Amino acid sequence: MDQRFGPLYDAENPWGRDDGFFLAAVDETPAARVLDLGCGTGRLTLALAAAGHTVTGVDPHRASLDAARAKPGADRVTWIEGTSAVLPDAAYDVAVLTSHVVQEIRAEADWRRTLADLRRALVPGGRLVFDSRDPAARRWERWNARDSRRRIALPDGTVVQAWTELTEMRDDLVSFVHHYLLPDGDELRSPGTLRFRTEEELQAALGNAGFTVERIHGGWDREPVGASDDGELIVVARAGAAITPR
């Protein structure tokens, strides 16, 4: 990973309404043992620790974790490089997956395995909270040079021009490239592919993994699905009794 992406990511993704939602959701369990899976550079992870929770941040990208570890308050968090496979059993009261990280889990076998790992890592009755873009909102239609163009101001005063380009749609997989044009004319590109799952697909997968879905919101102000311009599927589920492997 180009080391220049870390400051770009943090500048483009400051604290937002989504972070406020997740922090409030976790705070419903005082002094919780919290897992932030796919924690990235630690924006929410550090805030959870500052709020008095015991927090573990897990991410497969070493560069992201290096950036997180360099931030103030990072010593309050246990940082682990890896995926859900590294999680211990019955170690957490709440697990969060934010910034649509569940859409990065593209293969259905990997998605099932991740949910099984999360169920194993949560105590019975523990909560799982995550966000996924609602495919019915068709947000990818805005991923073009005109509608997605934005300016990113870095802490040193540098201004980066950015836009997102849709490159392919295949079934429920959407591929794109983030473009970042630096002042010196150099251009960084960050490609990605996301899987868009419907509300019904999320419900079924969670049920099969031993979770009970308590509610699904359509926006960060807890609107019903389809009633918000946010275009989200924000899931709150609870882990059932442990499933004995066969």
Side-chain angles (χ1 to χ4, degrees), residues 171-223:
D171 300 325
D172 51 2
L173 292 171
V174 179
S175 298
F176 58 90
V177 176
H178 294 311
H179 298 261
Y180 301 96
L181 184 61
L182 307 181
D184 62 5
D186 194 9
E187 182 181 322
L188 303 179
R189 298 188 179 192
S190 177
T193 298
L194 301 176
R195 181 173 292 277
F196 282 75
R197 297 179 177 90
T198 66
E199 180 181 2
E200 293 74 20
E201 288 171 331
L202 293 174
Q203 290 257 21
L206 286 161
N208 290 336
F211 288 94
T212 298
V213 176
E214 294 192 334
R215 53 193 179 274
I216 299 181
H217 304 292
W220 299 115
D221 293 323
R222 296 171 172 76
E223 302 95 329

Side-chain angles (χ1 to χ4, degrees), residues 15 17-37 44-56 92-98 122 125-130 214-215 217 220 222 234-238:
W15 186 269
R17 293 166 58 228
D18 54 338
D19 299 297
F21 176 95
F22 283 108
L23 179 57
V26 173
D27 280 345
E28 293 176 16
T29 304
R33 295 169 298 169
V34 184
L35 166 68
D36 186 357
L37 182 60
L44 178 63
T45 326
L46 293 167
L48 291 168
H53 302 290
T54 301
V55 185
T56 300
Y92 306 106
D93 305 302
V94 186
V96 298
L97 294 85
T98 70
L122 283 164
R127 289 182 297 132
L128 170 63
V129 189
F130 67 86
E214 294 192 334
R215 53 193 179 274
H217 304 292
W220 299 115
R222 296 171 172 76
I234 307 164
V235 178
V236 181
R238 196 170 292 273

Side-chain angles (χ1 to χ4, degrees), residues 4 25 29 36 39 43 45 74 83 93 102 115-117 138 141 145 167 193 204 228 240:
R4 292 174 290 182
T29 304
D36 186 357
C39 63
R43 182 183 65 244
T45 326
T83 67
D93 305 302
V102 301
L115 288 176
D117 288 338
R138 302 180 66 83
E141 293 179 350
T167 56
T193 298
S228 170

Side-chain angles (χ1 to χ4, degrees), residues 90-120:
Y92 306 106
D93 305 302
V94 186
V96 298
L97 294 85
T98 70
S99 299
H100 309 111
V101 70
V102 301
Q103 293 185 261
E104 303 275 1
I105 307 171
R106 295 179 287 273
E108 286 306 300
D110 292 339
W111 176 227
R112 290 192 296 270
R113 188 177 304 111
T114 299
L115 288 176
D117 288 338
L118 286 164
R119 172 61 203 87
R120 175 178 54 77

Side-chain angles (χ1 to χ4, degrees), residues 84 162 166 222:
S84 63
L166 178 68
R222 296 171 172 76

